[in-house]
Amino acid sequence: CLITAADYAQRLGVCIAVEPHDDFVRSSVMAEILRSAPHPTLGVIWDIGNAYAAGEEPIDSYPLLKERLSYVQVKDGSGRGGQWRLTRLGEGQTPLRQAFELLVEGGFSGPLSVEWEYAWHPELDPPEIALPHAADYVRRIWADARSGSTRR
């Protein structure tokens, strides 16, 4: 079905980016799906936080997805599995700096998206507080990754 959808998307001049989630959150599972559906308009989203929450480190998940990477979702949290709890960017355990360094080293030039799940997690800061902070944080660690800096 992915090949059929990708063929249709190609005729329309658009691409499909599959979001790994639930049973398909692990990069190894998604990589196998992508290998089974080799199509130029079929890519993948790397949700750094979801991959980390599933037990993956960026150094393990990024290489599996990098050739088909459409865009990157950025979020932070603490814990793993059922203990995963979202936090403000920079206040959790997700190795976002390492992920950004891998993206820069790999030549990624696609979009980054902050995924702020306030609608499902009202304990988080509201968007008017969280998103300006997130934009500053993403800009800072992206610049650090580009300059080779690993300072916190």
Side-chain angles (χ1 to χ4, degrees):
C1 69
L2 282 174
I3 293 290
T4 300
D7 284 340
Y8 182 68
Q10 189 172 34
R11 288 193 302 274
L12 296 176
V14 298
C15 295
I16 295 174
V18 179
E19 181 177 6
H21 222 285
D22 300 321
D23 292 342
F24 305 100
V25 72
R26 298 190 74 65
S27 299
S28 57
V29 173
M30 187 52 56
E32 186 59 36
I33 291 169
L34 294 170
R35 274 193 291 280
S36 299
H39 198 286
T41 62
L42 182 62
V44 65
I45 299 165
W46 183 28
D47 185 320
I48 302 166
N50 282 356
Y52 179 77
E56 293 184 349
E57 296 293 328
I59 194 74
D60 300 318
S61 56
Y62 173 72
L64 296 172
L65 304 177
K66 71 178 181 179
E67 298 303 320
R68 305 283 290 277
L69 199 54
S70 296
Y71 81 89
V72 176
Q73 287 181 336
V74 180
K75 65 182 165 205
D76 203 354
S78 295
R80 291 211 160 149
Q83 303 301 312
W84 172 252
R85 297 293 175 263
L86 294 168
T87 66
R88 281 177 131 202
L89 290 187
E91 294 180 5
Q93 299 168 329
T94 308
L96 294 171
R97 288 180 180 277
Q98 180 189 45
F100 279 33
E101 289 167 3
L102 290 166
L103 289 164
V104 168
E105 289 169 12
F108 180 73
S109 61
L112 301 170
S113 169
V114 172
E115 183 177 33
W116 195 244
E117 298 185 3
Y118 179 71
W120 299 274
H121 297 277
E123 71 277 9
L124 296 171
D125 289 338
E128 61 272 13
I129 294 171
L131 295 179
H133 165 80
D136 290 343
Y137 184 77
V138 166
R139 285 185 191 106
R140 187 172 62 251
I141 67 170
W142 187 258
D144 287 352
R146 290 187 69 202
S147 71
S149 173
T150 58
R151 66 177 168 77
R152 283 242 175 237

